[in-house]
Amino acid sequence: MKLTQEQYTRISDCLPRQRGNVSLTNLQFINAVLYVLENGCKWRALPKEYGRWHTIYVRMNRWSKNGVLDLLFRKMQTEQLVAVKMEVISMDSTYVKVHPNGTGALKKQVSNLLESQKEAGQQKYIWLPQLLSS
């Protein structure tokens, strides 16, 4: 599944303006994210035609934290370009095995988190988009 230039112009108003020396356009980036979403592959398995996987992953992570991806997928649904269902998954120790050192034993080092990080805490969810139907 790929967006065409015409489809991209319908949703481009909700995307941030590209600045600086950017080798990957927003259209190429969106098509790469849609490829990973559709095929469920790892970022490293992304075909070379989409660009460097790490560059795409870093931009996806930044857009996810800033809320741009949520806005993008909502806009794509209202324009009826793709049907995507957004879910948030919460995991705890009943689902994920913990290393024996992570069970509450005394640590040798003291955590040096910034005050803002201590207040915010760790992110307790995972962003998981799913295609509904093609």
Side-chain angles (χ1 to χ4, degrees), residues 31-133:
N31 284 331
V33 170
L34 290 174
Y35 179 86
V36 171
L37 197 126
E38 182 178 26
N39 295 306
C41 66
K42 296 179 181 179
W43 288 105
R44 290 179 187 262
L46 195 63
K48 297 286 183 193
E49 68 185 68
Y50 293 108
R52 294 183 57 227
W53 71 268
H54 189 262
T55 304
I56 295 166
Y57 171 76
V58 169
R59 190 184 297 188
M60 186 279 309
N61 199 14
R62 188 173 358 113
W63 282 18
S64 176
K65 287 179 182 177
N66 293 338
V68 175
L69 277 183
D70 291 332
L71 182 63
L72 172 68
F73 284 119
R74 279 193 207 110
K75 180 79 170 185
M76 288 171 65
Q77 286 179 341
T78 57
E79 293 289 330
Q80 297 179 349
L81 300 177
V82 3
V84 176
K85 176 181 164 188
M86 299 295 287
E87 289 185 351
V88 175
I89 296 178
S90 177
M91 290 193 207
D92 62 8
S93 62
T94 59
Y95 298 110
V96 180
K97 292 190 180 217
V98 177
H99 190 274
N101 294 343
T103 59
L106 293 175
K107 307 286 189 266
K108 291 183 181 178
Q109 296 178 344
V110 177
S111 176
N112 292 328
L113 293 176
L114 298 173
E115 290 300 320
S116 61
Q117 291 174 327
K118 287 180 184 177
E119 293 172 6
Q122 284 287 70
Q123 186 178 11
K124 295 182 175 47
Y125 60 89
I126 297 174
W127 178 78
L128 180 68
Q130 297 176 342
L131 288 176
L132 294 176
S133 62

